[in-house]
Amino acid sequence: MNFEFWHLIVLPALFAAGWLCRGFDAKQRAGGAELPQTYSRGVSLLLSGESDKAIDAFVEAVKLDPQQIELHHVLGNLFRARGDFERAIRLHRHIYNRAELNDAERTAALRELAEDYIQAGLFDRAEAAFRRLSEVPSEHLAALHRLLEIYVTEHEWQAAVDTAERLEAKAGENHSAEIAHFHCEKAEIAMKRKDFEAADAEITLAVMQRATPRAPILAGRSAALQGNLEGAVRWWREVAQDYPEHSSLIIGELADAVYKLGDAAGAENLLRDTIARSDSVDAFEAALSRIAAWDGAEAATTAARQMLQRQPSLSAFSALMELKLKAAPDDADLKLLSGLLKRHARRLARYQCRHCGFLASNFAWHCLGCGAWDSFPPRRLEESKRGS
Ligand SMILES: [Zn+2]
């Protein structure tokens, strides 16, 4: 926003300076001496923060000298900055269609028009405009970056893959993590419609990038859904080894798979080892719910106490109180305490984007706040604060 604001002030100021340097001959213009005065009034109104009155002054200036392309641009950008996209688009389209423009001027008009479309949420038109811009050598890379943003916003994952690969080839940029995520998105869509052949093809392409734990995690899930539990265990053990921080995301599923393969002792060891060593709330909760289901509430209570002694946390204490409440459902005080702890624990148990601070109640690979990938550490806020 700040950038846009200064851009708006600097652009008319530069235009005014250029005007004076060129020795603008007001007398030969249709507006006579009125035009520079109207224009100066617009700039000073803009500088004093009165953008509505500034717009009126610039509209007047445009009427006095309709040939001034820069003036139209200033006005169009002002409309866009205050969210009046319809007028911004109308103005920039009018400039773009003017017959006397040279190539550079027409490209500048198209760039502004594309910007209007994207900010107005007219993504189809923005895509068409940036595609045209990408054919101009000087605009090629900037247009590809904007196209990539559009494809991600619109969930057009294959177009996103193609564009990111073009950026890698043409600009030498590294987009491996994003490309892996785009393939994972395609794989998840295929998995939802139970097209495992298509899902596995995408997962293979994602794993090849070796850039995000999401790919092997997904490979394990696809294998498990197809009944290949040995394969799932192999993938998830790889995750635990290569990305230990992310093992909290799959520890429950891994224990389930080991248990279903007939190794109940192995599954329990895995969970008890998690409780003894991991300080992740997610891993703790996944382990505790399974111990409660497999060994009963008594064993789970002992495990929760063990976790609390080693690593005191509101979430672990809340889990312990819930287990106690299950054993004594008529205890009114316990019910109150358990409810209170649960509310507070839930408030703290959120994930936070390390780039922009966006909070999410579920773990996500893509931040809705800033658009970054892999920006959520797989740790709840409570744990992060404890560690800092
Ligand atoms: Zn973010």
Side-chain angles (χ1 to χ4, degrees):
M1 287 304 270
N2 276 342
F3 171 78
E4 186 74 17
F5 179 72
W6 285 110
H7 174 74
L8 281 171
I9 289 179
V10 167
L11 191 62
L14 284 176
F15 174 49
W19 205 345
L20 292 171
C21 291
R22 283 205 308 268
F24 182 77
D25 185 0
K27 281 177 198 151
Q28 298 200 352
R29 293 275 181 179
E34 277 178 64
L35 180 56
Q37 276 172 17
T38 314
Y39 192 81
S40 306
R41 198 171 73 242
V43 173
S44 67
L45 283 166
L46 197 57
L47 285 167
S48 58
E50 295 181 81
S51 59
D52 284 355
K53 286 184 185 165
I55 285 177
D56 291 342
F58 288 127
V59 167
E60 215 177 299
V62 166
K63 278 185 201 155
L64 288 169
D65 186 1
Q67 297 308 309
Q68 281 296 336
I69 293 166
E70 293 96 331
L71 263 178
H72 284 87
H73 273 304
V74 169
L75 200 51
N77 292 0
L78 273 171
F79 284 142
R80 186 170 68 217
R82 70 169 194 181
D84 192 346
F85 301 120
E86 210 180 308
R87 289 167 92 182
I89 289 168
R90 211 183 309 140
L91 243 166
H92 286 136
R93 202 190 287 144
H94 168 73
I95 306 172
Y96 179 69
N97 288 330
R98 276 165 67 158
E100 77 279 14
L101 294 192
N102 63 35
D103 285 351
E105 286 170 333
R106 202 175 303 281
T107 299
L110 184 57
R111 198 192 307 124
E112 297 301 339
L113 192 55
E115 217 50 55
D116 294 338
Y117 286 143
I118 208 168
Q119 288 199 30
L122 300 169
F123 293 113
D124 284 355
R125 291 188 193 182
E127 183 193 339
F130 281 116
R131 268 177 182 279
R132 242 175 296 151
L133 272 174
S134 74
E135 285 158 19
V136 180
S138 62
E139 301 291 320
H140 183 64
L141 292 180
L144 284 185
H145 278 117
R146 298 300 263 156
L147 280 170
L148 185 56
E149 285 173 34
I150 292 170
Y151 294 139
V152 170
T153 307
E154 292 288 274
H155 290 196
E156 289 182 41
W157 302 117
Q158 189 53 51
V161 168
D162 297 341
T163 309
E165 283 177 351
R166 279 173 77 190
L167 276 167
E168 285 198 327
K170 303 226 162 133
E173 297 171 2
N174 180 4
H175 288 272
S176 56
E178 284 162 280
I179 291 171
H181 280 293
F182 301 156
H183 285 301
C184 286
E185 292 288 342
K186 289 189 78 186
E188 284 184 355
I189 293 166
M191 279 160 76
K192 268 190 199 134
R193 54 166 203 265
K194 301 204 185 315
D195 183 353
F196 291 107
E197 199 181 326
D200 287 345
E202 295 296 336
I203 288 169
T204 304
L205 292 169
V207 168
M208 270 165 54
Q209 299 286 335
R210 306 196 69 81
T212 168
R214 185 182 182 183
I217 287 176
L218 213 52
R221 283 191 187 140
S222 174
L225 283 170
Q226 294 174 75
N228 175 10
L229 292 177
E230 286 96 344
V233 168
R234 263 199 310 278
W235 278 114
W236 288 329
R237 285 205 190 279
E238 204 177 298
V239 173
Q241 196 182 327
D242 295 348
Y243 305 95
E245 200 189 12
H246 287 80
S247 59
S248 59
L249 298 176
I250 43 93
I251 197 72
E253 290 162 274
L254 174 58
D256 287 343
V258 172
Y259 190 86
K260 280 184 198 156
L261 284 168
D263 185 3
E268 274 189 38
N269 281 341
L270 196 66
L271 297 178
R272 288 186 189 282
D273 188 51
T274 300
I275 286 184
R277 290 202 303 178
S278 168
D279 57 359
S280 152
V281 173
D282 284 322
F284 168 71
E285 285 179 353
L288 202 66
S289 64
R290 284 163 179 84
I291 290 174
W294 297 344
D295 299 336
E298 188 86 9
T301 307
T302 311
R305 259 198 221 105
Q306 188 192 348
M307 173 76 174
L308 260 179
Q309 278 163 1
R310 197 174 55 79
Q311 189 80 61
S313 77
L314 200 59
S315 301
F317 194 55
S318 170
L320 181 65
M321 286 303 111
E322 264 192 75
L323 285 168
K324 280 192 167 294
L325 186 64
K326 266 185 196 155
D330 298 328
D331 189 329
D333 290 344
L334 200 56
K335 204 171 184 174
L336 270 175
L337 179 64
S338 172
L340 185 75
L341 281 170
K342 205 172 170 180
R343 265 204 313 281
H344 280 284
R346 204 176 292 154
R347 193 169 51 81
L348 283 172
R350 289 194 279 177
Y351 301 92
Q352 187 166 40
C353 171
R354 66 165 77 88
H355 288 177
C356 74
F358 189 86
L359 290 169
S361 47
N362 294 313
F363 177 79
W365 297 104
H366 188 212
C367 177
L368 293 176
C370 66
W373 293 92
D374 280 317
S375 64
F376 287 96
R379 305 175 71 76
R380 302 274 185 172
L381 208 52
E382 184 184 12
E383 304 158 54
S384 312
K385 288 210 165 132
R386 208 167 54 216
S388 63

